[in-house]
Amino acid sequence: LLSQAQQTVRERTIRLLSLFLDECSPAATQNVPIHLPLRRSEFAQMIGTTPETLSRVLHRLSESGLLQLTRREIFVRNPARLRAQDARPLGPA
């Protein structure tokens, strides 16, 4: 709950994608498909945002080259880069 209050939607999205990535393919290095066991509305609810905001964040991550989106899957193009973004500190202490 505290991380939801301190992190941006982008950071929470990356964190949840990292968790799914670790479940799916912990050693993969590129183009890893993440088969989401939930709808995007449920994904949005897990990170405390609306489906519309989640969609915008996912598309921005796709435009930055981090993800590739299809209707049913999210491909992580560079898992190491995703994990590095997840490891960033939470901001000013």
Side-chain angles (χ1 to χ4, degrees):
L1 187 60
L2 184 58
S3 70
Q4 283 193 351
Q6 293 179 336
Q7 293 180 319
T8 65
V9 173
R10 183 181 191 281
E11 291 168 332
R12 294 190 310 258
T13 301
I14 289 172
R15 169 126 322 142
L16 190 55
L17 286 172
S18 293
L19 291 172
F20 282 127
L21 181 63
D22 290 342
E23 285 283 318
C24 295
S25 304
T29 59
Q30 64 184 12
N31 281 339
V32 179
I34 296 178
H35 304 282
L36 296 177
L38 39 101
R39 294 185 308 251
R40 292 221 178 157
S41 60
E42 294 168 323
F43 187 113
Q45 193 173 30
M46 289 178 74
I47 62 170
T49 193
T50 64
E52 294 81 9
T53 300
L54 173 64
S55 181
R56 283 192 295 271
V57 168
L58 289 173
H59 280 90
R60 284 189 197 118
L61 291 172
S62 176
E63 288 171 355
S64 75
L66 195 58
L67 304 177
Q68 178 183 348
L69 304 174
T70 68
R71 282 189 131 335
R72 301 209 180 261
E73 294 177 314
I74 297 172
F75 289 86
V76 178
R77 290 184 167 186
N78 188 335
R81 189 169 148 215
L82 181 79
R83 289 184 181 105
Q85 296 217 1
D86 182 34
R88 290 182 181 172
L90 289 177

